Amino acid sequence: MAGRRRWCAVSLRYGMQLPVQSQSTLYAEGWEAEAGPDDLLAIARAADRAGFAYLAGCDHVGIPRRLAAAMSTVWYDPVATLAFLAAATERVRLLSHVAIVGLRHPLLTAKQYATLDHLSSGRLILGVGAGHVQEEFEALGVDFRQRGSVLDECLDALRAALGPDEFPEHHGKLYDFEGLGQRPRPAQVRVPVWVGGSSPAAVRRAALKGDGWLPQGDPRDRLPAQIARIRELREEARVQGPFTVGAIVEPLYVGTPRWEVGRRTLTGGPRELAESLRAYRAMGVHQIQVRFRSRSRVELTDQISAFGAEVAPEL
């Protein structure tokens, strides 16, 4: 029973990927192209007031020309962006979704994110992923073909480097360090690490090495099998401790839109939307990542506020 209680969530939490800071054509709205720091601040403050569990920022060092038209080259650094927003918010947690930690030495990653956790009074969630842009790895001298095994060792090294010891120690195939002190230490005793990705390898990595799972766009009908696999892997390996299952939900619009929001977008009143979203909780999801359709920053912050005030209480 104790293990089951650690797995289950009391309520369905909700967070969001920040707009503006990444502008892939898959999800960026038109108004984001001209947006900037003031817009990010207003959005972060609105989410903080509306009870959002986290704000997330993604990580890319550079986008090759072959992908620039689709992905754009607008990708704010997640550490700098989340630190900027930490000073303007009070409660909302700060998630890297996801940091491609294999591109950097674990001590460098630990220094950056430990400082962020310290400055934000313990609000960091470290989301990590293997990465998918080969040119980034080549430019930084990292073997793209081995990125899975690189990430596996990075996770072990980061557990040590983000732990309580001022002089962390790790001895592995790729990274070997000891006797190098790093302060400030994280404010949290254990920084939560959520692993992103939906491949069999990513799901296994999340189950065995993570404190949570960030699926990469799995549709609703795929989630139950993925969640069952995570439970099976953790039970077989006798992995203990809390585990957070996430999901990226369909685009949302609270109310009846007067413009074309796309056929996949969930629209309607608070109870109607909440009923649809509660299906995720029934699958075993603990936190949902929401994205609102919008034509301006003001419309987005209005949607954030409406969701927090009207939809969230129904979840």
Side-chain angles (χ1 to χ4, degrees), residues 36-298:
D38 289 344
D39 301 285
L40 279 170
L41 285 173
I43 292 159
R45 287 168 174 153
D48 199 29
R49 291 192 300 268
F52 278 60
Y54 65 78
L55 296 168
C58 198
D59 180 28
H60 278 291
V61 172
I63 306 300
R65 291 185 186 276
R66 69 179 178 88
L67 297 175
M71 291 181 66
S72 92
T73 58
V74 179
W75 295 85
Y76 289 33
D77 178 78
V79 178
T81 303
L82 295 174
F84 173 66
L85 298 178
T89 54
E90 297 179 357
R91 186 205 53 81
V92 68
R93 301 200 73 170
L94 309 163
L95 167 67
S96 57
H97 188 180
V98 290
I100 309 172
V101 294
L103 293 177
R104 306 164 181 89
H105 193 286
L107 283 178
L108 175 59
T109 298
K111 169 59 73 174
Q112 294 175 311
Y113 283 100
T115 303
L116 174 57
D117 194 60
H118 176 78
L119 292 174
S120 66
S121 300
R123 288 191 276 148
L124 170 67
I125 303 171
L126 181 61
V128 303
H132 68 94
V133 179
Q134 183 171 348
E135 289 90 338
E136 283 184 305
F137 285 77
E138 292 172 347
L140 296 172
V142 183
D143 189 344
F144 179 75
R145 294 169 298 177
Q146 299 299 316
R147 64 194 185 280
S149 59
V150 170
L151 176 55
D152 284 337
E153 186 171 335
C154 274
L155 284 167
D156 294 336
L158 284 168
R159 285 292 191 196
L162 290 171
D165 294 338
E166 180 181 351
F167 292 87
E169 182 175 343
H170 172 81
H171 304 287
K173 293 181 179 180
L174 299 171
Y175 308 108
D176 190 286
F177 55 84
E178 64 176 310
L180 293 170
Q182 287 191 331
R183 295 184 69 184
R185 304 308 303 153
Q188 298 178 87
V189 174
R190 180 183 174 95
V191 172
V193 176
W194 294 355
V195 178
S198 295
S199 69
V203 169
R204 173 177 288 274
R205 184 175 297 117
L208 301 182
K209 291 182 175 289
D211 303 305
W213 177 51
L214 295 165
Q216 191 62 40
D218 288 68
R220 291 193 188 206
D221 59 0
R222 279 196 62 191
L223 282 171
Q226 296 275 59
I227 295 169
R229 178 60 176 156
I230 289 172
R231 285 180 170 165
E232 177 185 28
L233 288 165
R234 288 176 66 83
E235 288 170 2
E236 287 176 353
R238 298 183 179 180
V239 179
Q240 299 295 316
F243 191 85
T244 300
V245 174
I248 300 175
V249 308
E250 301 87 346
L252 301 176
Y253 193 92
V254 183
T256 303
R258 297 181 180 179
W259 57 288
E260 179 53 53
V261 295
R263 64 182 181 83
R264 289 187 62 252
T265 302
L266 300 179
T267 66
R271 290 186 178 179
E272 184 180 1
L273 290 176
E275 181 179 3
S276 178
L277 295 175
R278 283 197 298 268
Y280 285 99
R281 186 175 63 187
M283 297 177 197
V285 170
H286 305 139
Q287 66 88 9
I288 55 173
Q289 185 171 121
V290 300
R291 180 174 69 85
F292 303 100
R293 296 300 318 275
S294 61
R295 294 164 294 178
S296 68
R297 184 190 87 185
V298 171

